[in-house]
Amino acid sequence: MVNWSSINQKWNSLGGNLAAELELMIVRGELPQGEKIPPERELAATLGVSRATLREALLELEIKGLLSRRPGRGTIVLETPTESQFEQLSEAFTAAQQDFSQVMEMRLTIEPAVARLAATKATAADIRKLEQILAESEKETSSMKLLELDQTFHVALSDIARNPLLSDLIRIVGDWAGASRRLGFQGGKRKEASLHGHWQIVDALRAGQPALAENAMREHISGIQELIAPKADQSPESN
């Protein structure tokens, strides 16, 4: 019997690609032939994704012949994929690792400087807005909503820098960094680390300390990178 609640902690190890993660689980035998997939509403809530996201992933696997979806019978796992399919998944996993490293390197180059500039221009209203975002994050339990709030915080911070070019750049970086943010954003440890880093940045802005804000952002991104970085020797078989 599959423990679907445990899958909630790891479903986006392939850069947030739910279909790829489920396919990998079938390859590993974690979703054995004949296993019945829970109803969409129930499984979407367990995984912390929308029903549309889940439905799209299941449809992709059905098209590949890995799932059978029939009215009255539900969704059933079919036979295990071939070795060539497993090799394709391994390549996708490696690409996700490389993308993660590059995205985090880019964020470390750009965002500390943005935080420094924001600290020179932040108003009381700006700081209240950031505090409201973090207050909402503290109460939130949905992984996907936390993901949205995380990006909202960084975009709001860039707006405080009062430079439209930087704001646009951070929004673009945010889109590129979507997968890296999703990586590991299921557990309480990631939420705690993210909130701690964000509050450190807000404290620096409140104190009007640009150097402190820059350092807080650098430590925040570095800390998240260390927390969720795929290991150099990690492979689909070792997850």
Side-chain angles (χ1 to χ4, degrees):
M1 191 71 179
V2 176
N3 181 4
W4 289 97
S5 61
S6 67
I7 296 169
N8 181 47
Q9 305 299 319
K10 64 179 183 179
W11 73 263
N12 31 46
S13 66
L14 289 180
N17 190 328
L18 179 56
E21 181 64 35
L22 291 174
E23 185 172 350
L24 184 57
M25 291 177 65
I26 294 174
V27 170
R28 293 170 176 157
E30 295 175 22
L31 294 180
Q33 182 177 357
E35 178 70 29
K36 186 173 182 179
I37 306 295
E40 283 184 4
R41 184 185 300 276
E42 175 186 334
L43 185 54
T46 299
L47 299 179
V49 300
S50 68
R51 292 183 69 183
T53 297
L54 176 61
R55 192 176 297 117
E56 182 179 339
L58 295 180
L59 177 60
E60 182 176 333
L61 296 184
E62 182 181 16
I63 291 173
K64 289 183 176 182
L66 302 177
L67 296 178
S68 172
R69 307 178 74 193
R70 297 180 185 177
R73 183 186 173 196
T75 302
I76 306 295
V77 177
L78 298 180
E79 64 181 295
T80 304
T82 64
E83 185 175 343
S84 63
Q85 287 175 301
F86 183 81
E87 291 174 355
Q88 291 175 357
L89 287 171
S90 297
E91 292 174 1
F93 186 88
T94 301
Q97 290 179 318
Q98 294 172 345
D99 289 346
F100 172 83
S101 176
Q102 292 169 5
V103 166
M104 297 306 282
E105 185 177 73
M106 176 176 59
R107 292 186 64 192
L108 275 171
T109 301
I110 298 170
E111 295 194 54
V114 172
R116 183 185 186 97
L117 183 59
T120 69
K121 301 182 179 182
T123 66
D126 291 330
I127 293 172
R128 281 196 300 272
K129 181 176 181 179
L130 295 178
E131 290 173 339
Q132 289 170 357
I133 295 171
L134 297 186
E136 185 177 353
S137 298
E138 288 179 335
K139 299 175 184 176
E140 187 57 60
T141 58
S142 165
S143 298
M144 299 311 291
K145 181 61 177 177
L146 283 168
L147 176 65
E148 294 174 8
L149 289 168
D150 180 82
Q151 185 163 350
T152 297
F153 176 87
H154 286 266
V155 168
L157 182 66
S158 72
D159 289 341
I160 294 173
R162 306 288 193 274
N163 184 318
L165 293 177
L166 283 176
S167 292
D168 288 345
L169 179 60
I170 292 301
R171 283 172 168 80
I172 293 172
V173 170
D175 290 339
W176 289 344
S180 76
R181 281 193 167 98
R182 284 190 292 270
L183 280 165
F185 217 124
Q186 306 298 320
K189 190 174 182 181
R190 168 68 195 270
K191 175 183 176 180
E192 181 181 347
S194 183
L195 280 170
H196 175 75
H198 288 172
W199 277 117
Q200 292 290 102
I201 295 166
V202 171
D203 288 343
L205 264 64
R206 192 185 297 111
Q209 296 289 328
L212 193 61
E214 180 178 13
N215 188 59
M217 178 64 81
R218 184 175 294 107
E219 289 187 352
H220 165 57
I221 296 176
S222 296
I224 294 299
Q225 184 175 17
E226 291 175 5
L227 181 63
I228 64 175
K231 304 302 181 183
D233 61 349
Q234 191 177 19
S235 69
E237 292 177 320
S238 63
N239 271 348

